[in-house]
Amino acid sequence: MQNYKEKLSKLDNDHSNKLISNGSKEHAQALLYQFLDKAKESVNITSKSLSIYNDYTIVDALNTALNNGVKIKVLLDNYQNNKITNNIFLDRCLHSENCTIKTYDKPLKSHIITRDDRAFRYCDNPGSNIAVASFNSPDVVKNATETVFGAFFDKQPEYTT
């Protein structure tokens, strides 16, 4: 696992456009940590349950991002069927003015995370941890930002507890 984390850090520092595979919960968490810890402006997230975010290491990276003024957007899909309880990531977001959480009543066909204007993680099977990512794909990030995290996101209802 340490080798995977070192590989992510190097690819990120090099602004590599190489596709990275992500095939386990631990790999997904390592990517999430890297995205949050190195964010400068924004992190956008779609998720069904935030279950892999419910981790103190991820929340530490979230705190770093929020303390640095990074704007976080979270879109929770299939919300009516997936009430989230006891999630430290969600709780931290709810208590930050830099984090906006919205809900969507239907399941999304895929999940995506973007960071700033270059990095993404894309999962076309939201029930799994299998995904691809890249630290230098501005076209993918621009497309996701325009289609999911722009007007579509703005039209969704705010998360309520």
Side-chain angles (χ1 to χ4, degrees), residues 53-61 88:
Y53 297 79
N54 196 26
D55 175 272
Y56 286 106
T57 303
I58 302 297
V59 174
D60 285 345
I88 55 177

Coordinates of all heavy atoms in Angstrom, one line a residue, residues 53-61 88:
Y53 N -15.3 7.6 2.8 CA -14.8 8.9 3.4 C -14.9 8.9 4.9 O -14.3 9.8 5.5 CB -15.7 10.0 2.9 CG -15.7 10.3 1.4 CD1 -16.4 9.4 0.5 CD2 -14.9 11.3 0.8 CE1 -16.4 9.6 -0.8 CE2 -14.9 11.5 -0.5 CZ -15.6 10.6 -1.4 OH -15.6 10.9 -2.7
N54 N -15.6 8.0 5.5 CA -15.8 7.9 6.9 C -14.5 7.3 7.6 O -14.5 6.2 8.1 CB -17.0 7.1 7.2 CG -17.5 7.3 8.7 OD1 -17.2 8.3 9.3 ND2 -18.1 6.3 9.2
D55 N -13.4 8.1 7.5 CA -12.1 7.6 7.9 C -11.4 8.8 8.4 O -11.4 9.9 7.8 CB -11.4 7.0 6.7 CG -10.0 6.6 7.0 OD1 -9.1 7.5 6.8 OD2 -9.8 5.4 7.3
Y56 N -10.7 8.7 9.6 CA -10.0 9.8 10.2 C -8.9 10.4 9.3 O -8.7 11.6 9.3 CB -9.5 9.5 11.6 CG -10.6 9.4 12.6 CD1 -11.0 8.2 13.0 CD2 -11.2 10.6 13.0 CE1 -12.1 8.1 14.0 CE2 -12.3 10.5 13.9 CZ -12.7 9.3 14.4 OH -13.7 9.2 15.3
T57 N -8.2 9.6 8.5 CA -7.2 10.1 7.6 C -7.8 10.9 6.5 O -7.2 12.0 6.2 CB -6.4 8.9 7.0 OG1 -5.9 8.1 8.0 CG2 -5.3 9.3 6.1
I58 N -8.9 10.5 6.0 CA -9.6 11.3 4.9 C -10.1 12.6 5.5 O -10.0 13.7 4.9 CB -10.7 10.5 4.3 CG1 -10.3 9.2 3.7 CG2 -11.5 11.3 3.3 CD1 -9.3 9.3 2.6
V59 N -10.6 12.5 6.7 CA -11.1 13.8 7.4 C -10.0 14.7 7.7 O -10.2 15.9 7.6 CB -12.0 13.4 8.6 CG1 -12.4 14.7 9.4 CG2 -13.2 12.6 8.2
D60 N -8.8 14.2 8.1 CA -7.7 15.1 8.3 C -7.3 15.8 7.0 O -7.0 17.0 7.0 CB -6.4 14.3 8.8 CG -6.5 13.8 10.2 OD1 -7.4 14.4 11.0 OD2 -5.8 12.9 10.6
A61 N -7.4 15.1 5.9 CA -7.1 15.8 4.6 C -8.2 16.8 4.3 O -7.9 17.9 3.7 CB -6.9 14.8 3.5
I88 N -18.2 10.9 9.9 CA -17.4 12.0 10.4 C -17.1 13.0 9.2 O -16.9 14.2 9.4 CB -16.1 11.5 11.1 CG1 -15.3 10.6 10.2 CG2 -16.4 10.9 12.4 CD1 -14.0 10.1 10.8

